[in-house]
Structures are given as structure tokens and as C-alpha cells.
């Protein structure tokens, strides 16, 4: 709760800083500072919380556990890392720099809500608080028509899915008379009310929009491609992970008891997502667009955490979310240094700048799930959760085949960097940026060797 | 009045909204269709609220209206921004511009 | 602790090599010799206190340990790795290499991966090293290989990657059948696998076998192999054919045979048929080859076919023979490649038609070629003989109804092997010199060292194989 | 049939008819007008359901504020012509079919749910401003505050998106 309040207050501060300060660099420094403060508040909240404690606030509308606080902390840290890595590119996007940073704080508020809601009203507000700023961020490059188009598309799709989400909530309310997600009484009934099933289906569809799962993924490539690149990085990572925590929280808290009736639907969605994301990513010529499709594919893997109902899946989601976020942020940070976003733009990077090529290799390895990187451990946890589920072996094997396909397009970047010749245009790297990239790459490897760092005992 | 009637009515409105969102090319009309969907939900919630004699659902409706208002504010701003550039709000034209 | 050092020293040497620009090859050689010393020590002390298993808690949540252990087979393969890598570094010392630091460092990284594969007694650790051995080789081939290197190595990478992912899913499944404490350790995996019902055993078998069959490679999963061997730099080809394929065989013996014994027995006929069909198929293709590297590549498929058939024959003798042959094949095929490399460097071509007359121009090379070829076709008194003899006896004794057929067809393959190998010797060493290169350079000191080391092994083990047999007997 | 039922059917027909009008009319201005009429019909339903506060808010917020905003934007863009471009008939058909199927499927699924009750016609006071206000500020004060966060971000959005960049 402290973090939610702090994030709101800091967002307002950030907004005013945007009015008062004109120098963009200063705004960036202020944003970094405020994010660090927010991270501090998160850590403080984590430390002051007793092990195993569950704090229920406002008549059980929020239940804050150590897990949710830990997740919030990780997301805040990821945002801080994001701002550190790409701050200089964020301030180049448009004129309203202070406002953009304020929007990040608002998105964090939404994330905090989604990690600890216990009432569907809070969930709904959390999703909207995450979504509306993202529509704005997508359209923030006003000189560029593609950005405006991305924004419009995102808005229409988002609003449409909100409508579906609300219908789902309403149907479930109609069947149970309850908005509190831990009080739904499905088990007491002799048979499952069809209204509940329809409601769950609507919720699945709506969340599929938010996390860009097939067949509701079609907006993703255009939106991610059109949005200003730094904001694409944010939407594809932290925005997506936040939607996932809401998804898993709702489905595993309240619908776990009727899981046999919806896991099959979700398993098919997962398979479709993996298929569409990976196969279409193969045919892309632009790395940015490839990353957009690969983010669909990665969402397919993250869906495993929702499909398989066990304590392991929450851990898997944390690891996957963080691993994917870090690696993708790293790739985007490198991408922003290049002038040409196609695969050919990477040609000969290893010769021209071995440092950039080296860190990119680590990020690519992580995304492709090569051992000793965080991405591998993430996939491992997900698959373990799914195998434990028992009847999902077909999905696991399909996912592994798709992971091999993903190696194909990820390795195209490596082939371009190391084995092709070219003269890539690179903008100058400052020492601090180098340091941060090294730090990110190290993080990827450390988490690949010791993933339990992300899951300390007692969360 | 059985609750089914309200259920059918609001689902009908909802599906008309879905149809509108799928059929039309004008971004504003699509947006209006989505508003129609939200209103269908509101109506259903109000009916359930009466059925369960629970005012929480009406509070929920209230919040849906709040969110809808916020979304409309942002949405219309985005639509106007797009219109300024291409002098059209036709989603098909936008798709064509991409290629 | 020795076991950890066996992995750690190549890693550290690789780090050093990477940053020592011009001196890279010497640093790498030094590091590999150090590793060789260690692996000899390990082989001598196998089964004693000095080579105690090493275990460290790593990821308790998923039951993974950093645990290493070496029995005779593992120590033998470590020894083989320890011998081959210095040999690899000895040849081609005069050839200028682009970015030598990275090149030699990657070779050492793959050595570390190989050592890890042989020593790991934890499934997840095994998987890690399995990939760690692959990735440096991928970079080596794609960066320093021949003209078609990029698509070819990519095919190789994707094949093996698919295989290893299949293996991963099987290992996860097995680990979940245990009680969760050290779920990934070899003992637990074996126990879990044995307890599985038949249906699940089949699935696990198929998943694991795919991974290993691609690596070995067994017909029909071999299609990546000839291209990859041809396009890689010869030094990398040696690592691939002498060591990497052993990973596949080793994995069959350690992670497949004990884990799903019933499914193994069920599938053995099928696999043996495939392997033996592969022998004949590869031999026939090898006879048509005019490219010397492709010829040796196909001959390697044929040899692997025989070894794989023996692995699945299920007799004690063939298992023993297999281990002996793993070592010997590693030595022999390395010898083959070393010679091929010398010939290729001197003639500047891989085309057999453009060679000839080596016996006159460079008799040293020709003699070495003849000796190694004899070992390769398993003539008595060479090391190849004892291994293949045990393999054949093992296959003959197997419980399969078709063991006579297998014997006969495999024997045919061996005869074909003699034919193409001797034809190759004849084309390279005798006849007219068609290359246009008249003054063929003699072997330099490094090459002499490499060749002599290999020939010593060929002859000593051919006459007196007992130390090897003793070593592999240690449990 | 008592007066409430007659009102129900009248409002229902009006709501569905006008909703179809929104989707089908070629002129965007007509669409807006139809939508406002739909909202009035829905407000009428709210009254029937004893949700007086919602009825008022619906008219003030939706019909009054939001739809005027829509109308304003449409006028600004001068879109009041009848020559509105249409999607090809195939796409339209697909839209109709998918919407209709969705409706039928849900109805088919839900109509089997027999545990649904009947809405009692006696008046209750849950929809009164006083009751709602107490519930809102006693139980739902957190969402109330959070909606201010939402509005703040929407406000920023409107500024960021709507303001003309002077370049």
C-alpha cells in the first residue's frame, strides 16, 4: 500500500517537474531519482513485512502478500533499469518528457494493483490504469504517422477488450453475486453454472488481448512497430508482465477449482500463440518487427504459468517475466544505438563494435533459451510447471519445437553480427551506457546460474 | 420480470456493439460501438444488482462510467490527432498507408 | 576437487587465451597440456579417494546439484578429450588465423563443455554442459569455416538444438517422478525411469534417443553431419568427430540404457537395424566420394553405426567393446583428420582426383596415412582391431532374433570400409601426382609430435589393450 | 400485463432499435443521435430497476457529456455526410455473422442456467444516492481514489496527445 501511495505521489511530482523544468536532461535525472525513491519504498515495504503475512486492506479489496510486494519491487527495479538504459532515447521522442515519465509511474501504480487485487473492481481499474497510459505512449511521437496509427489501433483494440472483460466480470457476478475473487463459491454448486463458464471465457479472451495471445494478437506487430522504439520496449516487457500477473492472480485464486473446464481452452490458445508468434517472426526483415512477433511467442511461453495451476507457476512467472524483461530491454537498448533496424543493420557489428555484439549475443541467447542465461531457467520453470500438470505433455513438446524455431530467427541476428560483413552505423556509446549494458548482461548470466535469487525464501 | 429478459436484452446490445466494432470503418463509430458494449454491461450489472439486492454492482457501474469517460477523453484526442494528419478517420486507409 | 579442476582449467585457459592476442595458440596449448596432465592423473586415480565425487547445492528448488563424479568410462573419455585437444592445437600452427584469441578460446570452451558432459552426474548440469559444448563449436564453424559454412552450421545447430530440447523435456518429466530432493541427480533419474510404466518409458525413450541419435549421428538423423564436417575448419572437425559424437554414445550408455531398460529392449531391434543400415548406406556413399573430407565424414558415420548397434545389443561384451572402441575411434579418426589436414594444406584442395604420389614426395605423411588407415579398418595389431572384435562378438551374442543378419550386414559394411579406405590411400599416397604441387613440404616438428603421439597409441593399444580395459572396468 | 411490463418492452424495443441504428446508419451524426436515444432507453431501464442515481448519471455523463464530445469531434471533422465509406459487404457479412453467432452461442449456453431468479418488483432503496454514497465511501473508497489516478493519467494523455507541437 505504501508503494501505491508513493507511486501516485511521485507521479504527480514528476508531472509538476515536467512543467517547471525545461531542460530535458534534468527531467531525466529527476525521473531516475524518483524511481530510485520508489524502489526504496518498495524495498522498505518488503523489509517491514513479516514472513507469511497477508495484509488485507479495504474490506479485502487488496490482499498484499510478500509475493506481491516482491513482484512489485522487481517491476520497479526493471523500470529503473529501463529508464537508465534508454533514458536518453526517451527524452528524444517528443516534447512532453516529464509527462512520459509520469505515465510510467502511473503504469507502476496499475502494476501494483494487479499484483495484489482481491476484487474485480480493483482489477478492472488496474488494467485500465496500465492500458490508458500505454495508448498515450504509443502515440507520443506525433510527427510520425505510424505512431499515431499505432496509438489509434491500440486504443480501439484495448477498449474493445475492456468491453469483453467487463462482460466477463458481469456474468461471473451474475452467477455468484460476488466481486471478491477469493469468495466465489463454485465448489458449493452441484454443477458449474454456464454463466460462470461464459464469463471465464470472456475473461480469457480479454486477457488474451492484453497479453497479445493468438488469435487476439493481431494488433501487436503494428502497435509495437509503430510506437516509438523506447516505448515499444516498455510495452513489450513491463506492460506485458503486469498484465500477466493480473491474469494469473485472477485465474489461480478464483478459478483454480474449476480449472479442468478452462485449461484446455487456454492450452489451445497457448499452442496457437506459440505457433503464430514463432512462425511469423521467421519471415520478418526488421529486427524491431521480429521482436514484436517474438514477444507474442514469449507470451505463449508465459501462458504456461496460467495454464498449469500450481505454486510453481507463480515462481515461473516471476522468473520468466524478469528474464524476458531484462533481455528484451537489453536488445532494445542495443537496437536504439543502430540506425538501421533491419537484420542487415546488424551486419558486421562484431568487427565494428565487439562490445555491443558481445552483449547482444548474451541477450539473444537468453531470449532463445540457451543454458547459462536467465531465459533458459525461465523456460525450464515454465516447462516444469506444465509437465507437473500431467496432461499437457503434448503442449510441452510443441513448445519445445517452437523454441527451436525461435532459435532460427534469433540466431539470424547473431549470424548478421558475427559472420556477415557490413558497415553498421552506430551512435556513440557513453561510458555509463557501456557499464549499464554490461550490468544487464551480467544480470542475465547470474540469473541463469542462480535463478533462486529471484525467489528468496519466504515470499 | 425474470432476469433472463435483462440478460437477453443486454447481450443483444452487447453483440450489436461487437458487430458495429467489426463492421464499420469509421474509427469514431467503432468507438461508439464500444461505448454501446459498455452500456450493455452496465444495464446487466444494474439488473443483477436488483436481483441480489446488492448495491456493489451499481457502484461498479459507476466506475465503468468513470473509466469510459477517461477512455473517451484519451480516445477522441487520439482520433483527432490522426485526423489532423490524414484528414480521415477510416481505419482501412490507415492500414493501406502502412505498406 | 580434481573433477572441478578438469572443467575449470580449460575455462580459465580460455579466458586467458581470449585476451592474449598473438600468443594465443601457445597459451591455449599450455592450458590444454595442463588439462591433459590432470586427466592422466584422473585416469590413474580412478576409483580411489583422490577422485571422490564432488557435490554442491545449486538450485535446491528444482532439485539440481552441481555434482560431478567419474567412473572408469568417464575418466577414459576425459583422458581422450585431454589427449585430442593438444593434438588439435598442434596441427595448423603455421596457418594464419583471423582473430586467433577468439578461435583458440572457443576450442577450449568446447573442451570444458565436453569434460562437463562426461563428468556431470546431475541431469540439469549435464544438459548445461551439453549445450556449452555445442555453442563454441557453432561459432567456430560459422566464423572460420568454408564457403557454405553459415547455412551448414546453422542446420547443424538447429538439429542438435531440437534434439537437446527433446532431451530437456524428458529430463524434466523424469525429475518430477522423484520425491523432489536432488530430483535431478543421476541416481534419482535412473530410479524414476525404471519405475515408469511401459507407455511412459516409450515416450521418454523416444525423446532421449532423438537427442542422442542426432548427436551421434545415426542414420537417418545424420544429414547435418557430412556438410558440417566438410565446411568446418579441420581442427573443429576433429573435435566434432572424435569427441562430440562420443557425447552422444556416452549419453546413450549413461542416460538412456539404465533409465529406460524395458523400452530400450523393446526398441533395440529397430535401432540396430537403423544403425546397421546406416553402416552400409554410409559406406556406399563414401565409395562414391571424390572429396576427401566428405569421404572421411561418411566413414565416420559408418563407424558410429557399428558402435550404436553394439550399444543397443544389450550384451556385456559389446558394452565393454564399445567403451574400448570409443577411445580407439577417437584416436583413429583424429589421425585420419590430421593426415587429411596435412594433405589438404599441401595440395590446396580437397579433391581426391587432384592428389597422388605422396609416397614419393612426402614419405613421412604417406607412412602415417597407411598406419592410421590400417587402424581405421581394424587390422589386427592396431587398436581398431580389439575394439571392433569385441563389438562384433557382442552383437553376435545379442538376444535379438536377427543377430546373424546384423552380423552379416555389418561385416559387409566393414569390408566396404576397407575398400574405400584403401582406395583413398591409394589415390593419395600412390599413383601419379595430379596436383601440380611438386615440392610437397615435409612435416614440421609440431605435426610430427601430433602424428607420433597418435601412432604410439594406435600400436600400443593394439598390442596391449589391458590398461584401457582395466580403466573402463572401474565402477 | 401491467404498466411496468409495457414500459419494459417499449424501452427494450427502443434500445435495440436505436442500437441497430447506431451501427447501421451511414451518417455519423445520425449514429450519435441514435446512441443518445439508446442511452435514454437504458436510463429508462435503470429507473425500472430502481437505480435512480444511475439513471441520472447515465443521462448526465453519457448522453450529456460524452456524446456531446463525440458530436463535437464529428462536427469538427465535418463528417456529417452520407458518403461514409463502407467496408466491403463480405467483411460486413462476417461482422454480422460473428456477432450473431456470439449472441446465439451465449444465449444457448446461458439459457440452461436455471438458477437465475426473478427480479422482485417491490421497490428497494439500494439505488438511492444516500445508500450508494455510503457504500461508495465506506467500502469502495479505494477504487474511488484510484479512479482519480486514472483520470490524472487520462488528463496527461489528453494534453500530450491533443496539444499541437510547435516545431
Amino acid at each position: 500500500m505504501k508503494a501505491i501511495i508513493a507511486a501516485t505521489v511521485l507521479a504527480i511530482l514528476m508531472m509538476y517537474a515536467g512543467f517547471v523544468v525545461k531542460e530535458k536532461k534534468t527531467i531525466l535525472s529527476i525521473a531516475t531519482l524518483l524511481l530510485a525513491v520508489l524502489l526504496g519504498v518498495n524495498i522498505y515495504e518488503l523489509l517491514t513485512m513479516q514472513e507469511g503475512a497477508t495484509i488485507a486492506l479495504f474490506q479485502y479489496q487488496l490482499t498484499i502478500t510478500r509475493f506481491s510486494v516482491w513482484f512489485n519491487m522487481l517491476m520497479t527495479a526493471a523500470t529503473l533499469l529501463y529508464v537508465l538504459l534508454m533514458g536518453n532515447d526517451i527524452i528524444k521522442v517528443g516534447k512532453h518528457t516529464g509527462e512520459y515519465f509520469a505515465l510510467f509511474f502511473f503504469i507502476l501504480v496499475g502494476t501494483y494493483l494487479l499484483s495484489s487485487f482481491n476484487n474485480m473492481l480493483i482489477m478492472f481499474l488496474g488494467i485500465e490504469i496500465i492500458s490508458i497510459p500505454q495508448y498515450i505512449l504509443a502515440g507520443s511521437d506525433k510527427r510520425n504517422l505510424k505512431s499515431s496509427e499505432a496509438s489509434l489501433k491500440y486504443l480501439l483494440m484495448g477498449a474493445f477488450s475492456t468491453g469483453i472483460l467487463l462482460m466477463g466480470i458481469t456474468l461471473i457476478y451474475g452467477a455468484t453475486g460476488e466481486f471478491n475473487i477469493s469468495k466465489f463459491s463454485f465448489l458449493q454448486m452441484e454443477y458449474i453454472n454456464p454463466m460462470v463458464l461464459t464469463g471465464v471465457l470472456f475473461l480469457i479472451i480479454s486477457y488474451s488481448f492484453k497479453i497479445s495471445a493468438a488469435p487476439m494478437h493481431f494488433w501487436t506487430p503494428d502497435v509495437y512497430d509503430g510506437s516509438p522504439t523506447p516505448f515499444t520496449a516498455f510495452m513489450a516487457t513491463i506492460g506485458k508482465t503486469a498484465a500477466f500477473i493480473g491474469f494469473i492472480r485472477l485465474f489461480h485464486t478464483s478459478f483454480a477449482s474449476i480449472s479442468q473446464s478452462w485449461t484446455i481452452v487456454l492450452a489451445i490458445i497457448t499452442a496457437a500463440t506459440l505457433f503464430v508468434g514463432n512462425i511469423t517472426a521467421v519471415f520478418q526483415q526488421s529486427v524491431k518487427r521480429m521482436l514484436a512477433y517474438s514477444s507474442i511467442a514469449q507470451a505463449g511461453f508465459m501462458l504456461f504459468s496460467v495454464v498449469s495451476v500450481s505454486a510453481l507457476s507463480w515462481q515461473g512467472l516471476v522468473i520468466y517475466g524478469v528474464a524476458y524483461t531484462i533481455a528484451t530491454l537489453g536488445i532494445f537498448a542495443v537496437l536504439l544505438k543502430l540506425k538501421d533496424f533491419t537484420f542487415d543493420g546488424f551486419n558486421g557489428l562484431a568487427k565494428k563494435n565487439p562490445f555491443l555484439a558481445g552483449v547482444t549475443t548474451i541477450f539473444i541467447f537468453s531470449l532463445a533459451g540457451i543454458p547459462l542465461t536467465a531465459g533458459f531457467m525461465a523456460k525450464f520453470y515454465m516447462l516444469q510447471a506444465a509437465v507437473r500438470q500431467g496432461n499437457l505433455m503434448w503442449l510441452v513438446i510443441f513448445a519445445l519445437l517452437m523454441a527451436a524455431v525461435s532459435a532460427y530467427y534469433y540466431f539470424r541476428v547473431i549470424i548478421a553480427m558475427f559472420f556477415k560483413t557490413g558497415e553498421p552505423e552506430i551512435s556513440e556509446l557513453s561510458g555509463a551506457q557501456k557499464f549499464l549494458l554490461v550490468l544487464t548482461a551480467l544480470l542475465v548470466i547470474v540469473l541463469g546460474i542462480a535463478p533462486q535469487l529471484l525467489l528468496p525464501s519466504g515470499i | 420480470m425474470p432476469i433472463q429478459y435483462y440478460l437477453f436484452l443486454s447481450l443483444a446490445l452487447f453483440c450489436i456493439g461487437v458487430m458495429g466494432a467489426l463492421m464499420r470503418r469509421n474509427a469514431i463509430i467503432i468507438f461508439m460501438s464500444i461505448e454501446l458494449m459498455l452500456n450493455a454491461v452496465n444495464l446487466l450489472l444494474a439488473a443483477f444488482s436488483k436481483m441480489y439486492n446488492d448495491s456493489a454492482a451499481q457502484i461498479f457501474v459507476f466506475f465503468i462510467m468513470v473509466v469510459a469517460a477517461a477512455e473517451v477523453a484519451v480516445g477522441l484526442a487520439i482520433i483527432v490527432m490522426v485526423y489532423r494528419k490524414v484528414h480521415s478517420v477510416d481505419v482501412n486507409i490507415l492500414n493501406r498507408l502502412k505498406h | 576437487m580434481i573433477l572441478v579442476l578438469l572443467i575449470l582449467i580449460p575455462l580459465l585457459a580460455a579466458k586467458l587465451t581470449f585476451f592474449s592476442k598473438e600468443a594465443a595458440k601457445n597459451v591455449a596449448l599450455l592450458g590444454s597440456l595442463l588439462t591433459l596432465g590432470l586427466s592422466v592423473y584422473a585416469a590413474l586415480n580412478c576409483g580411489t579417494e583422490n577422485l571422490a565425487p564432488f557435490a554442491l547445492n545449486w538450485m535446491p528448488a528444482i532439485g539440481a546439484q552441481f555434482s560431478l563424479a567419474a567412473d572408469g568410462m568417464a575418466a577414459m573419455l576425459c583422458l581422450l578429450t585431454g589427449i585430442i585437444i593438444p593434438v588439435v592445437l598442434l596441427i595448423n600452427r603455421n596457418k594464419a588465423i583471423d582473430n586467433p584469441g577468439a578461435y583458440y578460446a572457443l576450442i577450449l570452451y568446447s573442451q570444458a563443455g565436453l569434460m562437463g558432459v562426461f563428468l556431470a552426474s546431475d541431469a540439469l548440469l549435464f544438459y548445461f554442459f551439453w549445450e556449452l559444448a555445442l555453442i563454441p563449436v557453432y561459432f567456430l564453424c560459422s566464423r572460420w569455416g568454408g564457403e557454405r559454412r553459415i547455412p551448414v552450421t546453422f542446420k547443424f545447430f538447429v538439429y542438435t538444438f531440437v534434439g537437446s530440447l527433446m532431451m530437456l523435456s524428458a529430463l524434466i518429466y523424469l525429475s518430477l517422478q522423484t520425491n523432489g530432493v536432488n530430483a535431478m541427480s543421476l541416481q534419482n533419474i535412473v530410479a524414476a525411469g525404471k519405475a515408469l510404466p511401459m507407455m511412459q518409458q516409450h515416450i521418454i525413450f523416444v525423446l532421449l534417443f532423438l537427442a542422442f541419435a542426432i548427436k551421434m549421428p545415426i542414420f537417418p538423423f545424420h544429414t547435418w553431419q557430412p556438410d558440417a564436417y566438410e565446411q568446418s575448419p579441420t581442427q573443429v572437425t576433429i573435435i566434432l568427430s572424435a569427441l562430440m559424437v562420443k557425447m552422444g554414445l556416452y549419453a546413450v550408455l549413461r542416460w538412456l540404457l539404465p533409465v529406460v531398460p524395458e523400452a530400450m529392449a523393446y526398441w533395440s531391434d529397430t535401432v540396430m537395424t537403423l544403425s546397421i543400415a546406416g553402416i552400409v548406406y554410409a559406406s556406399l556413399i563414401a565409395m562414391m566420394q571424390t572429396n576427401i573430407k566428405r569421404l572421411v565424414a561418411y566413414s565416420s558415420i559408418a563407424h558410429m553405426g557399428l558402435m550404436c548397434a553394439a550399444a543397443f545389443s544389450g550384451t556385456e561384451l559389446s558394452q565393454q567393446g564399445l567403451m574400448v572402441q570409443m577411445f580407439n575411434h577417437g584416436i583413429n579418426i583424429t589421425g585420419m583428420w590430421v593426415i587429411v589436414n596435412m594433405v589438404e594444406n599441401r595440395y590446396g584442395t580437397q579433391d581426391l582426383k587432384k592428389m597422388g604420389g605422396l609416397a614419393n614426395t612426402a614419405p613421412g605423411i604417406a607412412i602415417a596415412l597407411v598406419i592410421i588407415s590400417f587402424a581405421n579398418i581394424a587390422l589386427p595389431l592396431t587398436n581398431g582391431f580389439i575394439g571392433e572384435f569385441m563389438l562384433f562378438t557382442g552383437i553376435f551374442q545379442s538376444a535379438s532374433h536377427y543377430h546373424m543378419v546384423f552380423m552379416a550386414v555389418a561385416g559387409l559394411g566393414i569390408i566396404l570400409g576397407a575398400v574405400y579406405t584403401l582406395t583413398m590411400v591409394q589415390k593419395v599416397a600412390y599413383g601419379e601426382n595430379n596436383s601440380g604441387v611438386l615440392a610437397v613440404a615435409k612435416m614440421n616438428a609440431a605435426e610430427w609430435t601430433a602424428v607420433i603421439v597418435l601412432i604410439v597409441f594406435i600400436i600400443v593399444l593394439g598390442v596391449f589393450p589391458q590398461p584401457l580395459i582395466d580403466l573402463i572396468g572401474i565402477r | 400485463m401491467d404498466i411496468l411490463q409495457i414500459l419494459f418492452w417499449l424501452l427494450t424495443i427502443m434500445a435495440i432499435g436505436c442500437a441497430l441504428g447506431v451501427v447501421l446508419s451511414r451518417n455519423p451524426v445520425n449514429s450519435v443521435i441514435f446512441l443518445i436515444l439508446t442511452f435514454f432507453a437504458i436510463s429508462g431501464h435503470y429507473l425500472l430497476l430502481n437505480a435512480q442515481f444511475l439513471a441520472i448519471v447515465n443521462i448526465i455523463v453519457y448522453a450529456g457529456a460524452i456524446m456531446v464530445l463525440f458530436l463535437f469531434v464529428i462536427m469538427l471533422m465535418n463528417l456529417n455526410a452520407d458518403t461514409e465509406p463502407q467496408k466491403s459487404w463480405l467483411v460486413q457479412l462476417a461482422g454480422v455473422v460473428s456477432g450473431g453467432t456470439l449472441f446465439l452461442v451465449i444465449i444457448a449456453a446461458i439459457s440452461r442456467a436455471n438458477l437465475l431468479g426473478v427480479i422482485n418488483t417491490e421497490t428497494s432503496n439500494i439505488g438511492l444516492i444516500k445508500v450508494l454514497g455510503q457504500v461508495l465511501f465506506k467500502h469502495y473508497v479505494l477504487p474511488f481514489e484510484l479512479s482519480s489516478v486514472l483520470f490524472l493519467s487520462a488528463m496527461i494523455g489528453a494534453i500530450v496527445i491533443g496539444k499541437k507541437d510547435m516545431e
Side-chain angles (χ1 to χ4, degrees), chain C residues 70-352:
Chain C
D71 60 357
M73 174 165 61
M76 178 267 286
L77 284 167
C78 284
L79 181 64
L80 180 66
T81 314
I83 295 167
I84 301 295
I85 296 289
V87 170
V88 163
L89 295 174
L90 275 175
I91 63 172
N92 269 352
R93 281 177 67 82
N94 297 336
K95 213 171 175 179
I97 290 173
D98 186 28
N99 200 351
Y103 182 78
Y104 290 109
L106 285 172
I107 289 184
L108 291 179
Y109 274 127
S110 78
Q111 184 186 19
L114 285 159
M115 292 284 192
V117 167
F118 297 138
L119 294 176
S121 67
D122 179 279
L124 192 65
L125 195 64
F126 171 74
Y127 181 81
F128 267 39
F129 284 122
W130 181 274
E131 296 282 328
L132 182 64
L134 165 70
I135 286 172
V137 170
Y138 168 75
F139 274 94
L140 282 168
C141 301
S142 300
R143 176 81 171 71
W144 288 277
E147 268 170 34
R148 293 186 298 120
R149 62 186 189 272
I150 293 175
V152 162
T153 23
F154 198 62
K155 184 177 170 190
F156 158 61
F157 178 80
V158 168
Y159 263 64
T160 38
F161 193 60
V162 171
S164 19
L165 288 172
M166 296 294 122
M167 169 169 84
L168 180 65
S169 67
L171 292 178
I172 292 176
Y173 185 83
L174 286 169
S175 75
L176 287 176
Q177 308 301 315
T178 63
N179 63 4
V181 183
N182 292 340
M184 287 282 178
S185 74
L186 178 59
Q187 294 91 332
N188 281 337
I189 292 277
V190 170
K194 273 183 184 156
L196 280 180
M198 201 57 195
M199 192 57 219
Q200 271 88 325
Q201 282 209 15
H202 284 314
I203 296 173
I204 297 294
F205 175 85
V206 171
L207 290 174
L208 288 176
F209 177 71
L210 270 179
F212 305 151
I214 290 172
K215 202 80 167 190
M216 278 193 264
I218 295 302
F219 174 84
F221 306 105
H222 67 280
T223 51
W224 61 267
Q225 193 243 33
D227 287 337
Y229 282 14
E230 184 193 347
Q231 293 295 322
S232 308
T234 309
Q235 287 169 307
V236 182
T237 314
I238 295 177
I239 296 180
L240 274 173
S241 63
L243 301 174
M244 296 285 262
V245 297
K246 301 297 179 304
M247 273 165 60
L249 266 176
Y250 171 82
V252 167
L253 291 177
R254 177 125 306 164
W255 295 94
L256 185 58
L257 274 176
V259 176
V260 282
E262 291 164 42
M264 188 93 179
Y266 178 88
W267 286 93
S268 67
D269 274 356
T270 317
V271 176
M272 282 171 82
T273 312
L274 278 182
S275 325
I276 286 173
I279 299 178
V280 177
Y281 166 84
S283 303
L284 287 175
I285 293 189
M287 289 174 73
M288 316 283 180
Q289 292 303 320
T290 54
N291 181 311
I292 188 164
K293 281 187 94 169
R294 285 185 86 85
L295 189 149
V296 179
Y298 277 107
S299 91
S300 172
I301 297 181
H303 282 113
M304 289 312 290
L306 184 61
M307 285 194 252
C308 182
F312 279 77
S313 69
T315 56
E316 187 67 22
L317 190 62
S318 59
Q319 298 255 329
Q320 259 188 0
L322 180 58
M323 292 190 215
V324 173
Q325 184 64 2
M326 266 154 89
F327 191 89
N328 290 334
H329 177 256
I331 298 286
N332 295 347
I333 195 83
T334 308
M336 269 328 246
W337 288 119
V338 168
I339 302 287
V340 166
N341 181 51
M342 287 194 277
V343 171
E344 185 193 339
N345 281 349
R346 281 160 178 76
Y347 286 132
T349 174
Q350 299 178 354
D351 192 348
L352 270 174

Side-chain angles (χ1 to χ4, degrees), chain B residues 48-73:
Chain B
F48 283 140
S49 151
K50 175 92 180 182
M51 185 175 99
Y52 286 115
N53 211 14
D54 175 16
S55 41
Q58 295 202 9
I59 300 286
F60 207 117
V61 174
F62 181 64
F63 280 107
I64 293 178
M65 287 182 185
V66 165
V67 170
E71 226 168 41
V72 166

Side-chain angles (χ1 to χ4, degrees), chain A residues 163-218:
Chain A
I164 294 176
L165 177 86
L166 287 170
M167 188 45 107
I169 292 176
T170 306
L171 288 175
I172 286 170
Y173 173 75
T176 60
E178 207 37 88
F179 286 120
N180 187 328
I181 64 165
S182 52
K183 277 197 189 155
F184 293 143
S185 48
F186 304 116
L187 283 178
Q188 282 85 325
M189 297 182 197
E190 291 144 44
Y191 67 100
I192 302 169
N193 190 333
M195 217 145 83
V196 171
L197 291 185
T198 321
V200 170
L201 190 67
F202 271 71
L203 286 172
I204 288 179
I205 294 172
S206 162
Y207 265 112
S208 302
F209 268 109
K210 301 286 181 204
I211 60 175
S212 66
M216 278 65 81
H217 66 281
F218 43 81

Side-chain angles (χ1 to χ4, degrees), chain A residues 248-283:
Chain A
I248 191 171
R249 191 169 168 81
L250 175 64
F251 274 69
H252 285 199
T253 318
S254 40
F255 305 142
S257 57
I258 52 166
S259 63
Q260 74 283 1
S261 53
W262 53 263
T263 39
I264 182 67
V265 178
L266 214 50
I268 292 168
I269 288 180
T270 309
T273 309
L274 286 166
F275 185 77
V276 171
N278 282 307
I279 298 298
T280 32
V282 168
F283 299 105

